[in-house]
Amino acid sequence: MNRTSSRILMLASAIALGVAIAPRHASACGDEFVPAIDHRVLGVARAEKAMQEGKYQAAAGMVVRMFPEIGRMTANGVAAKDPLVGRAMRTLALATVRTEGALNIDSEIPREARGTWSGKSSEDRQANLTWAVSAMRRVNDVRKDDPAVQSDLGEALAKLDDQKGQAKKVLEDLAAKDLLASPEGYAALARLQAEAGNTGARDAAAKRCEAMAKNPAVCRVGAGGQG
Amino acid sequence: MASASFADEAGDAKRGKELVGKYQCNRCHDGTGVESGVKPLEHCVHCHQDILAGKFRAPPDKLETWTKNLATLREVPSLSAAGKRFRRGWIATFLREPHDLRPRLLGSMPRFAISADDARDIAAYLVPNDPEPELAMSGADAVKGRALVEANGCGTCHVMTGAPPLPDAPTPLGPKDFETRPAVALAPDLRFARDRWRAAELVKWLREPRAVKADALMPQVPLTPEQARDIAAYLLTTPLAPAPPRAVPARLPVLERRVTWDEVYDRVFRKTCRHCHAEPDYALGDGGPGNTGGFGFAPRKLNLADYAGAQAGALDSSGQRKSVFAPLADGTPWLVASLLARQAEEAGKPNPEVRGMPLGLPSVAPEDIQLVETWVAQGRPQ
């Protein structure tokens, strides 16, 4: 059973107990109480699978269609405490980071939800990346001590010039304990090491990335640290 | 009449009942007398039984697949009337040093982190009353007992390692007298009878199992009191050869071909590990005993349901995050060492430093451990 099917099964199990994952609505069908099914659970699982397959735009489009307000959800961090919203936020943030803030999903989402997601201008791309970092911070606040989330946060921080120092520390600390959870995280670390002139550390991080990555292209690190 | 010596210490039965809840004995065993602490979907055996009975609500094609693959936790002994059967001291020892008691049952009692005090108190709860005076067994004839064991077809369900093999003779009972499949699966190796039983309780059990334990699968075989004493004499005193040693399977070398996460997940983690090491967000907040906690274990936060989760490590016994790929003193990655430790447990050689995984279930096949070890050695490719 693939991972999406297994997550569908979890949902079916919840339904068997009469427990909705996000019980906001229900209906009575004759004498039977029918809890509403939140289809976004399946949608978020599919978006995560798309991310794992490198389909960043598709993943982002799914999330924004399900949560059109998501761009405005990071202000106080409350939304990230909802596990479903937190996962959606993290998926969209990561997709934004890995497309350099230019998601190019206008054709896939309602007009009113488009905002700056497509990153047509450098200001829009910067705004998107700033949002992604903010979202990842919120998720990290909720899922404390999760190296997988910390890895994604480090990768996001590395995209903002004024956050690179923190990015390097986060990623270095994880790598030192062999807890850096993604090849993209290692690639980000390799670029930061290159920018700092640490060629040995750059090569070590790049090597880890290449060992892990399904797509070696994610590991490209220029001499000056460019991806 | 000599029985193996397990000190029957007094304990705190009230505390023992709380500990049955803490260690979630009722997550597998019925008959504990403890109902709290385990949600419906947490009961491992009920869940599997519902799947096999077609009662679990899931798509028919999934049910069909699971039914074909479901081999473990189909039946687990009920603990009802434990106090009328077993020796308190044996229970306390077994909780800390579980071993394969039922050779025809896949899986065995898991090795939990139970202290001596906790084991003593759980035993005191399960066996609350001090034993009755031991039965006088003078005149009981072990030779006749062996003949009776053969004639009554006890070998249909039971083995007795170290004794001459019990013939698998037809029993004098009809097929409806007992449910054969679970009875065979749950029938203990009679080698251990002298550890678990006193003669007084054993004779009662042999004569009328369901008078002792209402849900007993042991059939009632017509026995006179003298015959029951003769059988008890045989079981408790016949000399036993040492149990044949079980070999630990040879550790296979790392493969040369590339092994990716997808293969390791499909062959190993998805089939077994994910049940206890799940992603809580997709499991109603319950990541399983190996993640969000259970069976008395503090949360270890190990998620083997996705790649990043596996890379993110687990909390060690001091509560610090540690990579599951960190090498132990001999260079073996912790995750691989856990899989190898389960093989050692099955061979009667538990590793005091490493708890074998999967907990209480049959060890992962050597070829699959080889796959995991190769994947780790190659840097854990996605």
Side-chain angles (χ1 to χ4, degrees), chain B residues 223-285:
Chain B
L223 293 171
T224 66
E226 291 71 29
Q227 289 175 325
R229 287 169 71 248
D230 289 342
I231 292 176
Y234 174 72
L235 295 179
L236 297 178
T237 67
T238 195
L240 295 173
R246 289 179 63 171
V248 178
R251 185 169 169 182
L252 299 175
V254 165
L255 296 164
E256 291 189 10
R257 67 172 176 83
R258 187 169 165 87
V259 174
T260 65
W261 161 260
D262 286 347
E263 188 177 3
V264 167
Y265 180 74
D266 283 342
R267 272 182 54 180
V268 185
F269 297 156
R270 178 177 61 82
K271 280 187 182 166
T272 302
C273 315
R274 193 174 52 89
H275 282 73
C276 289
H277 296 282
E279 165 51 67
D281 289 347
Y282 285 109
L284 305 176

Short mmCIF file of all heavy atoms in Angstrom, two decimals, chain B residues 223-285:
data_model
loop_
_atom_site.label_atom_id
_atom_site.label_comp_id
_atom_site.label_asym_id
_atom_site.label_seq_id
_atom_site.Cartn_x
_atom_site.Cartn_y
_atom_site.Cartn_z
N LEU B 223 -11.11 -37.12 32.71
CA LEU B 223 -10.00 -37.65 33.50
C LEU B 223 -10.48 -37.88 34.91
O LEU B 223 -11.17 -37.04 35.49
CB LEU B 223 -8.83 -36.65 33.55
CG LEU B 223 -8.06 -36.35 32.27
CD1 LEU B 223 -7.09 -35.19 32.49
CD2 LEU B 223 -7.30 -37.59 31.78
N THR B 224 -10.09 -39.00 35.48
CA THR B 224 -10.34 -39.19 36.91
C THR B 224 -9.34 -38.35 37.69
O THR B 224 -8.30 -37.94 37.14
CB THR B 224 -10.17 -40.67 37.29
OG1 THR B 224 -8.79 -41.02 37.11
CG2 THR B 224 -11.05 -41.57 36.42
N PRO B 225 -9.58 -38.13 38.97
CA PRO B 225 -8.58 -37.38 39.77
C PRO B 225 -7.21 -38.04 39.73
O PRO B 225 -6.19 -37.37 39.66
CB PRO B 225 -9.18 -37.38 41.18
CG PRO B 225 -10.65 -37.53 40.97
CD PRO B 225 -10.81 -38.38 39.74
N GLU B 226 -7.17 -39.37 39.75
CA GLU B 226 -5.88 -40.07 39.75
C GLU B 226 -5.17 -39.86 38.40
O GLU B 226 -3.95 -39.68 38.35
CB GLU B 226 -6.07 -41.57 39.98
CG GLU B 226 -6.55 -41.97 41.39
CD GLU B 226 -8.00 -41.57 41.65
OE1 GLU B 226 -8.79 -41.52 40.67
OE2 GLU B 226 -8.35 -41.30 42.82
N GLN B 227 -5.94 -39.92 37.34
CA GLN B 227 -5.33 -39.71 36.02
C GLN B 227 -4.75 -38.29 35.90
O GLN B 227 -3.67 -38.09 35.34
CB GLN B 227 -6.36 -39.97 34.91
CG GLN B 227 -6.73 -41.44 34.74
CD GLN B 227 -7.84 -41.64 33.73
OE1 GLN B 227 -8.76 -40.81 33.61
NE2 GLN B 227 -7.79 -42.75 33.00
N ALA B 228 -5.50 -37.32 36.40
CA ALA B 228 -5.02 -35.94 36.35
C ALA B 228 -3.73 -35.81 37.16
O ALA B 228 -2.80 -35.12 36.74
CB ALA B 228 -6.08 -34.97 36.86
N ARG B 229 -3.66 -36.47 38.31
CA ARG B 229 -2.43 -36.40 39.11
C ARG B 229 -1.28 -37.08 38.39
O ARG B 229 -0.15 -36.63 38.43
CB ARG B 229 -2.66 -37.03 40.48
CG ARG B 229 -3.53 -36.17 41.40
CD ARG B 229 -3.98 -36.89 42.66
NE ARG B 229 -2.90 -37.12 43.59
CZ ARG B 229 -2.38 -38.30 43.91
NH1 ARG B 229 -2.85 -39.41 43.36
NH2 ARG B 229 -1.39 -38.41 44.78
N ASP B 230 -1.57 -38.17 37.70
CA ASP B 230 -0.51 -38.86 36.96
C ASP B 230 0.04 -37.96 35.85
O ASP B 230 1.25 -37.88 35.63
CB ASP B 230 -1.03 -40.17 36.35
CG ASP B 230 -1.28 -41.24 37.40
OD1 ASP B 230 -0.75 -41.12 38.53
OD2 ASP B 230 -2.02 -42.21 37.09
N ILE B 231 -0.86 -37.29 35.13
CA ILE B 231 -0.41 -36.39 34.06
C ILE B 231 0.40 -35.25 34.67
O ILE B 231 1.47 -34.88 34.16
CB ILE B 231 -1.60 -35.84 33.25
CG1 ILE B 231 -2.26 -36.96 32.44
CG2 ILE B 231 -1.15 -34.71 32.33
CD1 ILE B 231 -3.52 -36.53 31.68
N ALA B 232 -0.09 -34.69 35.79
CA ALA B 232 0.64 -33.59 36.43
C ALA B 232 2.02 -34.07 36.85
O ALA B 232 3.02 -33.35 36.70
CB ALA B 232 -0.15 -33.07 37.64
N ALA B 233 2.08 -35.29 37.37
CA ALA B 233 3.39 -35.82 37.80
C ALA B 233 4.34 -35.88 36.61
O ALA B 233 5.52 -35.54 36.70
CB ALA B 233 3.22 -37.21 38.41
N TYR B 234 3.81 -36.33 35.46
CA TYR B 234 4.66 -36.40 34.27
C TYR B 234 5.14 -35.01 33.86
O TYR B 234 6.33 -34.75 33.64
CB TYR B 234 3.91 -37.06 33.11
CG TYR B 234 4.70 -37.02 31.83
CD1 TYR B 234 5.83 -37.82 31.67
CD2 TYR B 234 4.36 -36.14 30.80
CE1 TYR B 234 6.59 -37.75 30.51
CE2 TYR B 234 5.12 -36.08 29.65
CZ TYR B 234 6.24 -36.87 29.51
OH TYR B 234 7.00 -36.81 28.37
N LEU B 235 4.20 -34.06 33.78
CA LEU B 235 4.56 -32.73 33.29
C LEU B 235 5.53 -32.02 34.23
O LEU B 235 6.40 -31.27 33.77
CB LEU B 235 3.30 -31.88 33.13
CG LEU B 235 2.29 -32.34 32.07
CD1 LEU B 235 1.07 -31.42 32.04
CD2 LEU B 235 2.92 -32.42 30.69
N LEU B 236 5.38 -32.27 35.52
CA LEU B 236 6.16 -31.49 36.48
C LEU B 236 7.51 -32.13 36.82
O LEU B 236 8.37 -31.45 37.38
CB LEU B 236 5.35 -31.27 37.77
CG LEU B 236 4.05 -30.47 37.61
CD1 LEU B 236 3.31 -30.37 38.95
CD2 LEU B 236 4.32 -29.09 37.06
N THR B 237 7.67 -33.43 36.52
CA THR B 237 8.88 -34.08 37.00
C THR B 237 9.68 -34.83 35.95
O THR B 237 10.81 -35.22 36.21
CB THR B 237 8.56 -35.10 38.12
OG1 THR B 237 7.81 -36.20 37.54
CG2 THR B 237 7.77 -34.48 39.25
N THR B 238 9.09 -35.10 34.77
CA THR B 238 9.85 -35.93 33.85
C THR B 238 11.15 -35.23 33.48
O THR B 238 11.17 -34.01 33.26
CB THR B 238 9.02 -36.24 32.59
OG1 THR B 238 9.64 -37.33 31.88
CG2 THR B 238 8.92 -35.06 31.64
N PRO B 239 12.27 -35.96 33.44
CA PRO B 239 13.53 -35.31 33.10
C PRO B 239 13.44 -34.72 31.68
O PRO B 239 12.86 -35.31 30.77
CB PRO B 239 14.54 -36.45 33.14
CG PRO B 239 13.90 -37.51 33.97
CD PRO B 239 12.43 -37.39 33.74
N LEU B 240 14.01 -33.58 31.55
CA LEU B 240 13.99 -32.89 30.26
C LEU B 240 15.40 -32.69 29.75
O LEU B 240 16.28 -32.25 30.51
CB LEU B 240 13.31 -31.52 30.38
CG LEU B 240 11.83 -31.50 30.74
CD1 LEU B 240 11.36 -30.07 30.98
CD2 LEU B 240 11.00 -32.14 29.62
N ALA B 241 15.61 -33.00 28.49
CA ALA B 241 16.90 -32.66 27.87
C ALA B 241 16.96 -31.15 27.70
O ALA B 241 15.93 -30.50 27.62
CB ALA B 241 17.01 -33.34 26.51
N PRO B 242 18.16 -30.59 27.67
CA PRO B 242 18.26 -29.14 27.44
C PRO B 242 17.56 -28.78 26.14
O PRO B 242 17.57 -29.55 25.17
CB PRO B 242 19.76 -28.90 27.34
CG PRO B 242 20.40 -30.07 27.97
CD PRO B 242 19.47 -31.23 27.79
N ALA B 243 16.90 -27.64 26.13
CA ALA B 243 16.23 -27.19 24.91
C ALA B 243 17.27 -27.01 23.80
O ALA B 243 18.36 -26.49 24.06
CB ALA B 243 15.50 -25.89 25.15
N PRO B 244 16.97 -27.50 22.60
CA PRO B 244 17.95 -27.35 21.53
C PRO B 244 18.23 -25.87 21.29
O PRO B 244 17.30 -25.06 21.27
CB PRO B 244 17.27 -27.98 20.31
CG PRO B 244 15.82 -28.04 20.65
CD PRO B 244 15.71 -28.09 22.13
N PRO B 245 19.51 -25.53 21.16
CA PRO B 245 19.82 -24.11 20.96
C PRO B 245 19.27 -23.62 19.63
O PRO B 245 19.27 -24.36 18.64
CB PRO B 245 21.35 -24.07 20.97
CG PRO B 245 21.77 -25.44 20.60
CD PRO B 245 20.71 -26.37 21.06
N ARG B 246 18.76 -22.40 19.63
CA ARG B 246 18.31 -21.80 18.37
C ARG B 246 19.41 -20.91 17.84
O ARG B 246 19.93 -20.08 18.57
CB ARG B 246 17.03 -20.99 18.62
CG ARG B 246 15.84 -21.87 18.92
CD ARG B 246 14.61 -21.03 19.18
NE ARG B 246 14.22 -20.25 18.02
CZ ARG B 246 13.08 -19.56 17.96
NH1 ARG B 246 12.26 -19.56 18.98
NH2 ARG B 246 12.77 -18.86 16.89
N ALA B 247 19.73 -21.13 16.61
CA ALA B 247 20.83 -20.35 16.03
C ALA B 247 20.36 -18.96 15.67
O ALA B 247 19.22 -18.76 15.24
CB ALA B 247 21.35 -21.06 14.79
N VAL B 248 21.24 -18.01 15.86
CA VAL B 248 20.99 -16.67 15.34
C VAL B 248 21.33 -16.69 13.85
O VAL B 248 22.44 -17.14 13.50
CB VAL B 248 21.85 -15.62 16.07
CG1 VAL B 248 21.62 -14.24 15.49
CG2 VAL B 248 21.56 -15.62 17.57
N PRO B 249 20.43 -16.24 12.98
CA PRO B 249 20.74 -16.28 11.54
C PRO B 249 22.00 -15.49 11.22
O PRO B 249 22.32 -14.51 11.88
CB PRO B 249 19.52 -15.61 10.89
CG PRO B 249 18.43 -15.70 11.90
CD PRO B 249 19.10 -15.68 13.25
N ALA B 250 22.71 -15.98 10.21
CA ALA B 250 23.94 -15.29 9.80
C ALA B 250 23.59 -13.90 9.28
O ALA B 250 22.58 -13.70 8.59
CB ALA B 250 24.64 -16.09 8.71
N ARG B 251 24.43 -12.95 9.63
CA ARG B 251 24.24 -11.57 9.14
C ARG B 251 24.75 -11.49 7.71
O ARG B 251 25.90 -11.81 7.42
CB ARG B 251 25.02 -10.62 10.05
CG ARG B 251 24.84 -9.15 9.76
CD ARG B 251 25.45 -8.37 10.89
NE ARG B 251 25.56 -6.96 10.61
CZ ARG B 251 26.12 -6.09 11.45
NH1 ARG B 251 26.62 -6.51 12.60
NH2 ARG B 251 26.20 -4.81 11.13
N LEU B 252 23.90 -11.05 6.81
CA LEU B 252 24.26 -11.03 5.39
C LEU B 252 25.06 -9.78 5.07
O LEU B 252 24.85 -8.72 5.68
CB LEU B 252 22.99 -11.08 4.53
CG LEU B 252 22.13 -12.34 4.74
CD1 LEU B 252 20.83 -12.24 3.93
CD2 LEU B 252 22.92 -13.57 4.35
N PRO B 253 25.96 -9.88 4.08
CA PRO B 253 26.80 -8.72 3.75
C PRO B 253 25.98 -7.65 3.04
O PRO B 253 24.94 -7.93 2.43
CB PRO B 253 27.86 -9.31 2.82
CG PRO B 253 27.20 -10.50 2.21
CD PRO B 253 26.24 -11.04 3.23
N VAL B 254 26.51 -6.44 3.09
CA VAL B 254 25.88 -5.32 2.40
C VAL B 254 25.84 -5.60 0.89
O VAL B 254 26.80 -6.14 0.33
CB VAL B 254 26.68 -4.04 2.72
CG1 VAL B 254 26.33 -2.91 1.78
CG2 VAL B 254 26.44 -3.62 4.16
N LEU B 255 24.74 -5.26 0.26
CA LEU B 255 24.59 -5.50 -1.18
C LEU B 255 25.41 -4.49 -1.97
O LEU B 255 25.74 -3.41 -1.48
CB LEU B 255 23.11 -5.36 -1.58
CG LEU B 255 22.15 -6.39 -0.97
CD1 LEU B 255 20.71 -5.91 -1.10
CD2 LEU B 255 22.33 -7.73 -1.64
N GLU B 256 25.68 -4.84 -3.22
CA GLU B 256 26.40 -3.90 -4.09
C GLU B 256 25.45 -2.98 -4.85
O GLU B 256 25.79 -1.86 -5.18
CB GLU B 256 27.28 -4.67 -5.08
CG GLU B 256 28.43 -5.36 -4.37
CD GLU B 256 29.45 -5.94 -5.33
OE1 GLU B 256 29.38 -5.67 -6.53
OE2 GLU B 256 30.33 -6.68 -4.85
N ARG B 257 24.23 -3.46 -5.10
CA ARG B 257 23.31 -2.62 -5.88
C ARG B 257 22.75 -1.51 -5.00
O ARG B 257 22.76 -1.59 -3.78
CB ARG B 257 22.15 -3.47 -6.45
CG ARG B 257 21.22 -4.02 -5.38
CD ARG B 257 20.01 -4.68 -6.05
NE ARG B 257 19.12 -5.29 -5.08
CZ ARG B 257 18.18 -4.64 -4.40
NH1 ARG B 257 18.02 -3.32 -4.58
NH2 ARG B 257 17.39 -5.27 -3.54
N ARG B 258 22.22 -0.46 -5.67
CA ARG B 258 21.66 0.69 -4.95
C ARG B 258 20.32 0.30 -4.33
O ARG B 258 19.47 -0.32 -4.97
CB ARG B 258 21.49 1.86 -5.91
CG ARG B 258 21.07 3.17 -5.26
CD ARG B 258 21.21 4.29 -6.29
NE ARG B 258 20.56 5.51 -5.94
CZ ARG B 258 21.08 6.50 -5.21
NH1 ARG B 258 22.29 6.39 -4.73
NH2 ARG B 258 20.39 7.61 -4.95
N VAL B 259 20.15 0.68 -3.10
CA VAL B 259 18.89 0.44 -2.38
C VAL B 259 18.32 1.80 -1.97
O VAL B 259 19.01 2.59 -1.33
CB VAL B 259 19.12 -0.43 -1.13
CG1 VAL B 259 17.83 -0.55 -0.31
CG2 VAL B 259 19.62 -1.82 -1.53
N THR B 260 17.06 2.04 -2.34
CA THR B 260 16.47 3.35 -2.04
C THR B 260 15.45 3.24 -0.91
O THR B 260 15.04 2.13 -0.52
CB THR B 260 15.76 3.93 -3.28
OG1 THR B 260 14.64 3.07 -3.59
CG2 THR B 260 16.70 4.01 -4.47
N TRP B 261 15.01 4.40 -0.46
CA TRP B 261 14.00 4.47 0.59
C TRP B 261 12.73 3.71 0.17
O TRP B 261 12.15 2.98 0.97
CB TRP B 261 13.65 5.92 0.89
CG TRP B 261 12.34 6.10 1.62
CD1 TRP B 261 11.14 6.47 1.06
CD2 TRP B 261 12.07 5.89 3.01
NE1 TRP B 261 10.15 6.51 2.04
CE2 TRP B 261 10.70 6.16 3.24
CE3 TRP B 261 12.86 5.50 4.10
CZ2 TRP B 261 10.10 6.06 4.50
CZ3 TRP B 261 12.26 5.39 5.36
CH2 TRP B 261 10.90 5.67 5.55
N ASP B 262 12.30 3.89 -1.07
CA ASP B 262 11.05 3.27 -1.51
C ASP B 262 11.08 1.76 -1.28
O ASP B 262 10.10 1.17 -0.82
CB ASP B 262 10.80 3.57 -3.00
CG ASP B 262 10.35 5.01 -3.23
OD1 ASP B 262 10.02 5.69 -2.24
OD2 ASP B 262 10.36 5.46 -4.39
N GLU B 263 12.21 1.14 -1.60
CA GLU B 263 12.29 -0.31 -1.45
C GLU B 263 12.30 -0.71 0.03
O GLU B 263 11.60 -1.64 0.45
CB GLU B 263 13.56 -0.83 -2.13
CG GLU B 263 13.62 -2.36 -2.18
CD GLU B 263 14.82 -2.91 -2.92
OE1 GLU B 263 15.68 -2.11 -3.38
OE2 GLU B 263 14.91 -4.14 -3.05
N VAL B 264 13.08 0.02 0.83
CA VAL B 264 13.16 -0.29 2.25
C VAL B 264 11.81 -0.06 2.92
O VAL B 264 11.36 -0.84 3.76
CB VAL B 264 14.27 0.57 2.90
CG1 VAL B 264 14.18 0.52 4.41
CG2 VAL B 264 15.63 0.12 2.46
N TYR B 265 11.15 1.01 2.51
CA TYR B 265 9.84 1.31 3.11
C TYR B 265 8.84 0.21 2.75
O TYR B 265 8.12 -0.30 3.60
CB TYR B 265 9.34 2.67 2.63
CG TYR B 265 8.00 3.05 3.22
CD1 TYR B 265 7.89 3.44 4.55
CD2 TYR B 265 6.84 2.97 2.45
CE1 TYR B 265 6.65 3.75 5.11
CE2 TYR B 265 5.61 3.28 3.00
CZ TYR B 265 5.52 3.66 4.33
OH TYR B 265 4.30 3.96 4.87
N ASP B 266 8.78 -0.14 1.46
CA ASP B 266 7.78 -1.11 1.02
C ASP B 266 8.02 -2.49 1.62
O ASP B 266 7.08 -3.20 1.97
CB ASP B 266 7.77 -1.22 -0.51
CG ASP B 266 7.07 -0.05 -1.15
OD1 ASP B 266 6.31 0.64 -0.45
OD2 ASP B 266 7.28 0.19 -2.35
N ARG B 267 9.29 -2.87 1.75
CA ARG B 267 9.56 -4.24 2.21
C ARG B 267 9.64 -4.36 3.72
O ARG B 267 9.42 -5.44 4.26
CB ARG B 267 10.87 -4.76 1.59
CG ARG B 267 10.59 -5.40 0.23
CD ARG B 267 11.78 -5.99 -0.43
NE ARG B 267 12.54 -6.93 0.37
CZ ARG B 267 13.63 -7.53 -0.08
NH1 ARG B 267 14.06 -7.28 -1.30
NH2 ARG B 267 14.31 -8.37 0.68
N VAL B 268 9.99 -3.29 4.39
CA VAL B 268 10.24 -3.43 5.83
C VAL B 268 9.38 -2.46 6.65
O VAL B 268 8.52 -2.89 7.40
CB VAL B 268 11.73 -3.20 6.16
CG1 VAL B 268 12.00 -3.45 7.64
CG2 VAL B 268 12.62 -4.10 5.31
N PHE B 269 9.59 -1.16 6.47
CA PHE B 269 8.98 -0.21 7.40
C PHE B 269 7.46 -0.19 7.28
O PHE B 269 6.76 -0.09 8.29
CB PHE B 269 9.53 1.20 7.16
CG PHE B 269 11.01 1.33 7.43
CD1 PHE B 269 11.74 2.35 6.83
CD2 PHE B 269 11.67 0.46 8.26
CE1 PHE B 269 13.10 2.48 7.06
CE2 PHE B 269 13.03 0.58 8.50
CZ PHE B 269 13.75 1.60 7.89
N ARG B 270 6.95 -0.26 6.05
CA ARG B 270 5.49 -0.17 5.88
C ARG B 270 4.82 -1.41 6.45
O ARG B 270 3.75 -1.33 7.04
CB ARG B 270 5.14 -0.01 4.40
CG ARG B 270 3.66 0.04 4.12
CD ARG B 270 3.39 0.28 2.63
NE ARG B 270 3.93 -0.77 1.80
CZ ARG B 270 3.34 -1.94 1.56
NH1 ARG B 270 2.19 -2.21 2.15
NH2 ARG B 270 3.89 -2.84 0.78
N LYS B 271 5.43 -2.56 6.27
CA LYS B 271 4.79 -3.82 6.67
C LYS B 271 4.68 -3.94 8.18
O LYS B 271 3.73 -4.50 8.69
CB LYS B 271 5.60 -5.00 6.16
CG LYS B 271 5.36 -5.32 4.72
CD LYS B 271 6.07 -6.60 4.31
CE LYS B 271 5.83 -6.86 2.84
NZ LYS B 271 6.73 -7.88 2.32
N THR B 272 5.67 -3.47 8.90
CA THR B 272 5.73 -3.76 10.33
C THR B 272 5.94 -2.52 11.18
O THR B 272 5.14 -2.20 12.03
CB THR B 272 6.86 -4.77 10.60
OG1 THR B 272 6.63 -5.95 9.85
CG2 THR B 272 6.92 -5.12 12.08
N CYS B 273 7.02 -1.80 10.89
CA CYS B 273 7.47 -0.75 11.80
C CYS B 273 6.46 0.38 11.92
O CYS B 273 6.29 0.98 12.99
CB CYS B 273 8.81 -0.19 11.32
SG CYS B 273 9.98 -1.45 10.83
N ARG B 274 5.81 0.70 10.80
CA ARG B 274 4.95 1.88 10.76
C ARG B 274 3.79 1.80 11.75
O ARG B 274 3.24 2.81 12.16
CB ARG B 274 4.41 2.03 9.33
CG ARG B 274 3.76 3.34 9.02
CD ARG B 274 3.43 3.40 7.55
NE ARG B 274 2.67 2.25 7.11
CZ ARG B 274 1.35 2.15 7.13
NH1 ARG B 274 0.63 3.14 7.58
NH2 ARG B 274 0.75 1.06 6.72
N HIS B 275 3.40 0.60 12.15
CA HIS B 275 2.29 0.47 13.09
C HIS B 275 2.60 1.15 14.41
O HIS B 275 1.72 1.72 15.04
CB HIS B 275 1.98 -1.01 13.34
CG HIS B 275 1.22 -1.65 12.25
ND1 HIS B 275 1.77 -1.96 11.03
CD2 HIS B 275 -0.07 -2.03 12.18
CE1 HIS B 275 0.86 -2.50 10.27
NE2 HIS B 275 -0.28 -2.56 10.93
N CYS B 276 3.84 1.05 14.85
CA CYS B 276 4.22 1.64 16.14
C CYS B 276 5.00 2.94 15.97
O CYS B 276 5.18 3.68 16.93
CB CYS B 276 5.09 0.66 16.93
SG CYS B 276 4.16 -0.75 17.56
N HIS B 277 5.49 3.17 14.75
CA HIS B 277 6.29 4.37 14.49
C HIS B 277 5.62 5.13 13.35
O HIS B 277 6.13 5.21 12.24
CB HIS B 277 7.72 3.97 14.10
CG HIS B 277 8.46 3.26 15.19
ND1 HIS B 277 9.03 3.92 16.25
CD2 HIS B 277 8.72 1.94 15.38
CE1 HIS B 277 9.62 3.04 17.04
NE2 HIS B 277 9.44 1.83 16.56
N ALA B 278 4.43 5.68 13.65
CA ALA B 278 3.61 6.33 12.63
C ALA B 278 3.76 7.85 12.72
O ALA B 278 4.40 8.38 13.63
CB ALA B 278 2.15 5.93 12.81
N GLU B 279 3.18 8.54 11.76
CA GLU B 279 3.12 10.00 11.78
C GLU B 279 1.84 10.38 12.52
O GLU B 279 0.74 10.09 12.04
CB GLU B 279 3.11 10.54 10.35
CG GLU B 279 2.69 11.99 10.19
CD GLU B 279 3.43 12.95 11.10
OE1 GLU B 279 4.64 13.14 10.92
OE2 GLU B 279 2.79 13.51 12.02
N PRO B 280 1.93 11.05 13.67
CA PRO B 280 0.74 11.30 14.48
C PRO B 280 -0.34 12.11 13.75
O PRO B 280 -1.53 11.89 13.97
CB PRO B 280 1.28 12.10 15.67
CG PRO B 280 2.74 11.88 15.68
CD PRO B 280 3.16 11.53 14.29
N ASP B 281 0.08 13.04 12.90
CA ASP B 281 -0.91 13.89 12.23
C ASP B 281 -1.86 13.07 11.36
O ASP B 281 -2.97 13.50 11.08
CB ASP B 281 -0.21 14.93 11.34
CG ASP B 281 0.48 16.01 12.17
OD1 ASP B 281 0.21 16.09 13.38
OD2 ASP B 281 1.29 16.76 11.59
N TYR B 282 -1.43 11.91 10.91
CA TYR B 282 -2.29 11.07 10.08
C TYR B 282 -2.86 9.90 10.86
O TYR B 282 -3.39 8.96 10.26
CB TYR B 282 -1.53 10.57 8.85
CG TYR B 282 -1.35 11.65 7.83
CD1 TYR B 282 -0.10 12.21 7.59
CD2 TYR B 282 -2.43 12.13 7.11
CE1 TYR B 282 0.05 13.23 6.66
CE2 TYR B 282 -2.28 13.14 6.17
CZ TYR B 282 -1.04 13.69 5.96
OH TYR B 282 -0.88 14.69 5.04
N ALA B 283 -2.72 9.91 12.15
CA ALA B 283 -3.20 8.79 12.97
C ALA B 283 -3.92 9.32 14.21
O ALA B 283 -3.74 8.79 15.31
CB ALA B 283 -2.02 7.90 13.38
N LEU B 284 -4.72 10.36 14.00
CA LEU B 284 -5.52 10.93 15.09
C LEU B 284 -4.66 11.29 16.30
O LEU B 284 -5.08 11.12 17.44
CB LEU B 284 -6.64 9.94 15.50
CG LEU B 284 -7.57 9.48 14.37
CD1 LEU B 284 -8.56 8.45 14.87
CD2 LEU B 284 -8.29 10.66 13.75
N GLY B 285 -3.45 11.76 16.03
CA GLY B 285 -2.57 12.20 17.12
C GLY B 285 -1.78 11.08 17.76
O GLY B 285 -0.93 11.34 18.62
#
